[in-house]
Amino acid sequence: DGRDAPAFQGDVTYLLDTYGEHPAFHRTPEGKPFWYVYDSYRQPAEFWAAILTPNGSRTLRGTRLDGVFIGLYLSRGHERYAEVGGFDGLYTYFAATAFSDGTRTSEWPRLVTWTSQRNKLFIPCVGPGYDDSRLRPWNAASWRYRAMGRYYQDMWEAAISSEAQIIGVTSFNEWGEGTHIEPAAA
């Protein structure tokens, strides 16, 4: 929170100038940087429209800061951020199925269709399980048992069957939320 258009533009500038040439910095085949905007729904779609639509008052479109901007889809109605706000697509991030509308794998085919019809991306995110009980003991409803890999496999199968062009992985080493895939050693 506390975002404003100049601060967002400054953040994009800093990240692009500092890390934009790194080989791990994801770009499209045409060279546009990929940006996942976490908690994008905390600002109104009109805020994003000023930055992400071609005629917005502080647009990044057509400048060296242009890229593929993906907003976080949490609940039904957040499609508005892609349509009105100018996002190039939506992603789900959370690794706990049914935590939100976006993490209901049954919603993914609908979201793929909706975004495809508007020349946008839907990026479902998969994870091996979820357990943030050490960080948020009050959040037990979001806990998801790994089931010896079955949970992760089921999420992958749902993402693949949705026919999304891109699938995100949440995450490689997020031990605090129990979504780590990377082996850990003491």
Side-chain angles (χ1 to χ4, degrees):
D1 294 332
R3 291 179 181 164
D4 62 19
F8 184 79
Q9 183 175 359
D11 290 344
V12 170
T13 301
Y14 170 78
L15 292 168
L16 200 54
D17 290 348
T18 306
Y19 305 106
E21 299 303 317
H22 193 281
F25 194 93
H26 184 70
R27 292 181 176 273
T28 67
E30 300 77 32
K32 282 189 172 185
F34 233 81
W35 303 99
Y36 290 84
V37 183
Y38 186 76
D39 279 355
S40 51
Y41 60 87
R42 290 185 176 227
Q43 297 290 346
E46 294 74 16
F47 168 88
W48 295 111
I51 301 168
L52 300 178
T53 59
N55 296 319
S57 61
R58 299 197 58 94
T59 191
L60 301 181
R61 302 304 188 182
T63 73
R64 76 175 195 91
L65 303 179
D66 200 356
V68 177
F69 292 88
I70 308 297
L72 180 59
Y73 180 87
L74 192 62
S75 301
R76 279 189 177 247
H78 286 175
E79 296 92 340
R80 176 174 166 73
Y81 289 87
E83 195 150 46
V84 174
F87 280 97
D88 300 295
L90 301 165
Y91 76 110
T92 61
Y93 180 74
F94 298 102
T97 53
F99 165 77
S100 69
D101 294 332
T103 62
R104 285 184 177 81
T105 59
S106 60
E107 284 283 294
W108 293 354
R110 180 189 71 79
L111 289 162
V112 167
T113 299
W114 187 92
T115 53
S116 295
Q117 290 171 344
R118 290 157 179 83
N119 198 30
K120 296 186 182 288
L121 295 168
F122 174 67
I123 303 172
C125 295
V126 301
Y130 190 88
D131 180 3
D132 67 352
S133 58
R134 289 185 179 183
L135 298 174
R136 299 174 192 99
W138 46 263
N139 197 27
S142 296
W143 183 79
R144 300 296 181 272
Y145 179 61
R146 289 174 174 245
M148 299 187 69
R150 184 71 217 177
Y151 180 88
Y152 195 39
Q153 183 176 341
D154 289 347
M155 284 197 86
W156 269 107
E157 288 173 4
I160 291 167
S161 69
S162 76
E163 299 185 6
Q165 294 178 31
I166 300 172
I167 299 170
V169 177
T170 306
S171 71
F172 185 68
N173 63 357
E174 182 67 70
W175 294 287
E177 293 182 348
T179 62
H180 56 284
I181 300 166
E182 177 184 39

